[in-house]
Amino acid sequence: MQLPEAKGKFIEAWGKLGSEWGINRTMAQVHALLLVSPNELTTEEIMEELKISRGNANMTLRDLISWGLVEKQHKAGERKEYFYADKDTWNIARQVAKERRKRELDPIIKILDELSKVEGESKDEAFITFNKSVTDINKLAKNVDKTLETMLKAEENWFWKSIFKMFK
Amino acid sequence: MQLPEAKGKFIEAWGKLGSEWGINRTMAQVHALLLVSPNELTTEEIMEELKISRGNANMTLRDLISWGLVEKQHKAGERKEYFYADKDTWNIARQVAKERRKRELDPIIKILDELSKVEGESKDEAFITFNKSVTDINKLAKNVDKTLETMLKAEENWFWKSIFKMFK
DNA sequence: ATTAACTTTCAAAATATTTTGAAAGTTATA
DNA sequence: TATAACTTTCAAAATATTTTGAAAGTTAAT
């Protein structure tokens, strides 16, 4: 297999994986393209390579920036904006974990907290089951949340530092 | 808040979370309904409660069964099938991890293995960057894969056993 | 202040996913 | 073996998501 074909396959696979995990396929593809590009790319180049429209490229890039996965770069004396992706896999994983925690985990915990407070007849099977499921899930979610917080904060934490080493 | 309202909110929230993570909203909702139901439910009852069609209910339930989250139950002397969800959050998390590993992680690793083999000019920036990104992601994916395997196998493993206790 | 190079917006169009429901299929019981 | 109770299928319809592209907006340089 030659590089251009391999590049295409990587972009396609990354896009598919993204869409299976609730991330817009094009966003994942643009990210993949930037990951394998040694240099910053312009909107124009991204449009060209992935055959997407200007509007789509623009919105997707803003999204990637809001996820902290891509940064805008300016070049002296040029009007064009350049886009560059951090290529450190650990940073990428951290950033995704951080954002999903903020965007999805925290809100669901807020709801589960509310629902945990619901009171009912202690003989009522329906109430007992509801309560057990909700509080159990809430507990698990809070543990995941706390763990992520610790992990994300802490390269200084000896315990997680040693876990990280296993993954790097 | 009263139980029926709370139940509705839980189902809605679970559905939303699911769809954010690439799981069909209805599938997540049916799962949520079963999680808060003390008894097995029939297709009829699920259709009724969630206002979905017979076809949808049937397919969704098959899916949930294929994910190992729901089981069919027969009652002596009855033609109807009943559906019941395991309510142990740890089992649910395990099951989801197991399935997503099989369905998504393993296939992507296969592709990354292929792409890692691509050869190129050692001076070619494009090749260097492609190769670095792909092999790095491959390494991370394989580590996650190995870790999941160990975790899923092993309550007998002293290390993970102690980690699990933090979450339960 | 005007131009030109570039970016952003967003309503409409295209595409993808999900849902419906009626017909076909299955199987326990009489 | 016929019936009736139930389940499954799948093409078409509904819905949701993504993408387009032209117009509007911005801004650096003259």
Side-chain angles (χ1 to χ4, degrees):
Chain A
M1 206 190 313
Q2 296 301 299
L3 188 55
E5 188 192 347
K7 218 167 132 179
K9 284 213 174 160
F10 177 66
I11 289 167
E12 202 188 325
W14 208 237
K16 190 174 172 232
L17 189 68
S19 73
E20 286 166 344
W21 286 82
I23 285 156
N24 179 312
R25 169 185 259 84
T26 302
M27 178 166 151
Q29 288 183 334
V30 170
H31 188 221
L33 173 60
L34 289 170
L35 281 180
V36 297
S37 299
N39 311 305
E40 324 77 85
L41 299 177
T42 60
T43 302
E44 214 75 33
E45 289 170 310
I46 292 164
M47 288 167 58
E48 167 76 11
E49 188 114 15
L50 301 177
K51 310 285 181 218
I52 61 175
S53 71
R54 183 174 301 286
N56 196 5
N58 182 266
M59 280 182 150
T60 297
L61 286 164
R62 290 170 108 243
D63 250 1
L64 282 167
I65 290 168
S66 87
W67 276 74
L69 296 171
V70 164
E71 57 182 37
K72 254 189 206 178
Q73 292 188 338
H74 286 275
K75 291 198 175 184
E78 289 207 50
R79 293 287 307 273
K80 264 180 289 189
E81 284 175 335
Y82 287 80
F83 298 92
Y84 184 80
D86 184 354
K87 290 168 184 64
D88 182 302
T89 48
W90 196 251
N91 284 347
I92 296 168
R94 271 165 75 113
Q95 205 52 40
V96 171
K98 186 176 162 186
E99 284 298 320
R100 296 207 89 148
R101 172 169 178 254
K102 187 176 73 192
R103 292 169 192 226
E104 291 147 20
L105 191 56
D106 288 355
I108 198 87
I109 286 173
K110 221 176 129 200
I111 293 170
L112 290 169
D113 276 341
E114 280 243 9
L115 297 178
S116 296
K117 278 188 248 148
V118 170
E119 289 182 32
E121 185 54 57
S122 67
K123 290 282 176 49
D124 178 8
E125 278 286 306
F127 169 70
I128 294 169
T129 308
F130 174 84
N131 194 249
K132 185 180 180 329
S133 285
V134 168
T135 55
D136 281 1
I137 292 170
N138 199 12
K139 264 182 228 159
L140 180 61
K142 279 185 165 155
N143 279 326
V144 171
D145 195 55
K146 262 189 286 176
T147 305
L148 282 176
E149 188 181 15
T150 312
M151 283 176 61
L152 290 169
K153 254 194 219 160
E155 305 260 334
E156 75 261 18
N157 176 309
W158 70 267
F159 178 72
W160 285 110
K161 212 166 166 181
S162 66
I163 302 267
F164 286 165
K165 276 199 189 124
M166 293 170 42
F167 283 88
K168 277 220 181 176
Chain B
M1 207 190 311
Q2 296 301 298
L3 188 56
E5 187 192 347
K7 217 167 131 180
K9 283 212 175 163
F10 177 67
I11 289 167
E12 202 189 325
W14 208 238
K16 190 175 170 229
L17 189 67
S19 71
E20 286 166 344
W21 285 82
I23 285 155
N24 180 311
R25 170 186 258 85
T26 302
M27 177 168 151
Q29 288 183 334
V30 170
H31 187 220
L33 173 60
L34 289 169
L35 281 180
V36 298
S37 299
N39 310 306
E40 324 76 88
L41 300 178
T42 61
T43 302
E44 214 74 34
E45 288 169 312
I46 292 163
M47 288 166 59
E48 167 75 14
E49 189 114 15
L50 300 178
K51 309 286 181 217
I52 62 174
S53 71
R54 183 173 303 283
N56 196 6
N58 182 265
M59 281 184 148
T60 297
L61 285 165
R62 289 170 109 244
D63 249 2
L64 282 167
I65 289 167
S66 86
W67 276 74
L69 296 171
V70 164
E71 58 180 39
K72 255 188 204 177
Q73 292 189 337
H74 287 276
K75 291 198 173 184
E78 289 208 50
R79 293 288 310 270
K80 261 180 290 188
E81 285 175 336
Y82 287 80
F83 299 91
Y84 184 80
D86 183 354
K87 290 167 184 65
D88 182 304
T89 49
W90 196 250
N91 285 346
I92 297 168
R94 272 165 75 112
Q95 205 52 40
V96 171
K98 187 176 162 186
E99 285 297 321
R100 296 207 87 149
R101 171 169 178 255
K102 188 176 70 192
R103 293 169 191 225
E104 291 147 19
L105 192 55
D106 290 353
I108 197 87
I109 285 172
K110 222 176 127 200
I111 293 170
L112 290 169
D113 276 341
E114 281 245 7
L115 297 179
S116 296
K117 278 188 250 149
V118 171
E119 289 182 33
E121 184 54 58
S122 69
K123 290 281 176 46
D124 179 7
E125 278 285 307
F127 169 70
I128 294 170
T129 308
F130 175 83
N131 193 250
K132 186 181 181 326
S133 284
V134 168
T135 55
D136 280 2
I137 292 169
N138 199 12
K139 264 182 227 158
L140 180 61
K142 278 187 165 154
N143 278 325
V144 171
D145 195 55
K146 262 189 286 176
T147 306
L148 283 176
E149 189 181 15
T150 312
M151 282 175 62
L152 290 168
K153 253 194 220 159
E155 304 261 333
E156 77 261 19
N157 177 308
W158 68 269
F159 178 71
W160 286 109
K161 214 167 166 181
S162 66
I163 302 267
F164 287 167
K165 277 199 188 127
M166 292 169 44
F167 282 87
K168 278 218 181 176

